[in-house]
Amino acid sequence: MSEHGAQQSRGPVDVNDPSLSRFDVVREGARRDDIEIVHYEPQVVAGSRAERRLVRTVNALFLIAGVAATAFLAVYIWWPWRYRLLADIEEYYTPLLGVTMGVALLGIGFGILVWGKKLLPKEVSIQDRHEGAVSPDEQRITGQTMLYMADELGVKRRPLLGVSLLAGLVPVSAVVAAPLVGGLIRDPHTDRELFRTGFAPADDQGAVTRIRLVREDGRPVRPADLLPGGQVTVLPGIPHGISNRYADSVTLLIHLRTADALAARQNNRDAGKTDWMWGNYIAYSKICTHAGCPASLFEQQTNRLLCPCHQSQFLITNNAEPIFGPANRRLPQLPIEVDDEGFFVASSDYQEPIGPDFWERP
C-alpha cells in the first residue's frame, strides 16, 4: 500500500492528545480535509547565518519604509507648498511626496516578498473538494493551524522582525490617513483664503480703493465697450492681477439685453443681491463650480453659460443657477459699479467661494 493510501486508511487521531505537536495537529487537520502535504521543509536553518542575513534584510526594508513614510508626513504637513511664479523650495513639494510615498510602498512590498519567499517554509499540498459540518475537533484544528502559521512567520524567534514591521506599517498607515485629515491639520480658511480674490478692495489706512475690471492686456473696461449680448473676460487691475497668481479671479462681464437685464435684476433682488448689477451689466466667476474648468461659452439667445468640459450649463438671468450637467452650485456673482472715470470696478469681492470648493457647500 502506498504511503498516501496508508494515511487515508489510518483512523482519526485525537487532536486533544497533549503529546501531539502543533504541526501534528495541523497535519491531522489536513488529512481530515482530504489534503495531502506533498512537500514541506524550511528554507533556512533556524539560527543559521543565512537566516540572520535574511532577517536583517527584511528589517532594513521595513525600517526604510517607516522612515520614508515619516518623511512623507513631515513634507505633507510642514513643507512650503503654495504656488509662486518664481518657485523655489515650493516646487519640490509634489515630487517629494511622490518619492517618499514610493519608497515607503516599495520598502513594505519588498520586505513582505523577501519574508515570504526566503524565510517561510516551502509547502506543496493537494486538496480534494468536499463539504461537511464543522465539528469541535475541526474548530480546534483551525485554531491550531492559525497559531502554527503565526509560529512559522518566525516573529517569536525573530522579534526584531515584528518590531521593524510595526515601525514600517504604522507610518505607512498614517500616510493613507493623512490626505483624509489634511484639512484638520491645516485650516483651509486661514486669512479667508477661499473667499478672497484679486477683486478685494484695497484698504490703505482707511482709504478704500475699488479694483477695476481690466482686459487681459491690462486695459480697463467701459460700459460702451460692450454691445448688448456681448461679453468679455476681465481680471483685477492690480499688480500681477493678470497672472496665475490671481487665477481664481477670472470673471466674465456680460452686457444683457434690456428685457433679460430686468429679469436678472429682479432675481438678484429676490436673492438679496440688490445693486450687484450696474445697468444692464452683470459679472460672474468664469470658473465652473464642478471641476474648475472655464465656463466661457455664452449663448445670447438663451442666456446660458456653458462649461465645455462636462457640459454644465448656468442660467445667467437667474443668479447663474445650474440647469444642466454635473455642477450643483451656482457661479458666484461679482458686485460691480462704474467709478468716477467711467470704468467698471468691483463694488466688493466675491461673497462666495470660487470654483469647486468643498468646504462651504450649502
Side-chain angles (χ1 to χ4, degrees):
M1 182 181 295
S2 66
E3 180 181 354
H4 179 57
Q7 290 178 349
Q8 294 299 325
S9 62
R10 186 182 57 187
V13 174
D14 182 7
V15 295
N16 295 298
D17 186 350
S19 65
L20 295 179
S21 67
R22 183 165 289 160
F23 182 72
D24 290 335
V25 176
V26 172
R27 184 168 54 188
E28 173 64 15
R31 189 179 67 82
R32 293 187 184 185
D33 285 337
D34 297 326
I35 299 173
E36 179 184 357
I37 300 178
V38 179
H39 179 77
Y40 190 92
E41 66 174 345
Q43 298 195 68
V44 292
V45 178
S48 65
R49 180 178 299 178
E51 183 190 48
R52 290 194 296 270
R53 183 177 65 252
L54 289 171
V55 169
R56 287 195 297 268
T57 301
V58 175
N59 291 338
L61 289 169
F62 286 156
L63 291 176
I64 289 172
V67 170
T70 302
F72 175 94
L73 295 173
V75 172
Y76 182 81
I77 297 172
W78 290 294
W79 194 276
W81 56 273
R82 295 179 182 278
Y83 175 81
R84 294 195 303 173
L85 289 178
L86 300 176
D88 187 13
I89 193 174
E90 295 86 353
E91 65 182 341
Y92 299 109
Y93 179 73
T94 301
L96 282 175
L97 290 181
V99 169
T100 52
M101 177 177 285
V103 172
L105 296 180
L106 286 174
I108 290 294
F110 279 113
I112 293 174
L113 282 175
V114 173
W115 194 342
K117 293 291 186 180
K118 300 296 183 180
L119 286 174
L120 296 183
K122 291 183 178 180
E123 177 183 332
V124 178
S125 301
I126 300 175
Q127 179 180 19
D128 295 330
R129 186 174 181 178
H130 68 283
E131 297 180 358
V134 179
S135 67
D137 282 357
E138 290 176 333
Q139 294 176 6
R140 173 172 170 76
I141 289 170
T142 301
Q144 292 298 306
T145 301
M146 296 178 66
L147 291 173
Y148 183 77
M149 292 171 59
D151 287 344
E152 288 302 299
L153 288 175
V155 176
K156 288 185 177 180
R157 290 189 295 107
R158 311 154 184 157
L160 193 57
L161 279 177
V163 174
S164 62
L165 180 60
L166 287 177
L169 287 182
V170 170
V172 170
S173 301
V175 165
V176 175
L180 303 178
V181 299
L184 303 178
I185 297 173
R186 180 175 295 162
D187 185 1
H189 293 147
T190 301
D191 299 325
R192 292 181 59 80
E193 180 178 356
L194 294 180
F195 295 89
R196 182 179 294 276
T197 71
F199 288 110
D203 189 348
D204 185 12
Q205 297 180 353
V208 178
T209 301
R210 290 180 169 82
I211 306 303
R212 283 182 174 176
L213 281 58
V214 301
R215 300 174 185 265
E216 294 179 357
D217 58 5
R219 292 181 295 131
V221 182
R222 296 177 183 271
D225 294 341
L226 289 176
L227 296 175
Q231 48 88 20
V232 64
T233 297
V234 293
L235 295 154
I238 58 176
H240 307 293
I242 310 172
S243 70
N244 285 337
R245 181 175 177 181
Y246 291 98
D248 60 349
S249 304
V250 181
T251 300
L252 199 65
L253 176 64
I254 302 173
H255 185 180
L256 297 172
R257 291 181 291 266
T258 301
D260 298 328
L262 289 174
R265 190 173 295 107
Q266 181 58 51
N267 288 325
N268 263 15
R269 291 195 190 99
D270 295 342
K273 298 178 180 178
T274 305
D275 299 329
W276 282 35
M277 295 176 58
W278 187 88
N280 294 346
Y281 297 82
I282 196 167
Y284 288 102
S285 171
K286 197 174 177 179
I287 302 175
C288 181
T289 54
H290 170 235
C293 298
S296 55
L297 302 180
F298 178 59
E299 189 179 60
Q300 297 182 20
Q301 300 301 320
T302 61
N303 290 302
R304 296 185 180 190
L305 190 61
L306 171 68
C307 176
C309 291
H310 306 99
Q311 311 306 311
S312 293
Q313 296 182 23
F314 305 88
L315 186 58
I316 295 303
T317 54
N318 188 21
N319 297 289
E321 288 287 347
I323 56 175
F324 183 82
N328 61 5
R329 190 166 65 92
R330 65 191 178 192
L331 295 173
Q333 184 177 348
L334 180 68
I336 57 174
E337 60 184 31
V338 172
D339 63 13
D340 295 338
E341 298 181 28
F343 295 107
F344 279 110
V345 296
S347 304
S348 69
D349 199 359
Y350 282 100
Q351 302 300 303
E352 299 176 81
I354 299 298
D357 173 67
F358 298 97
W359 292 93
E360 300 300 329
R361 291 291 177 113

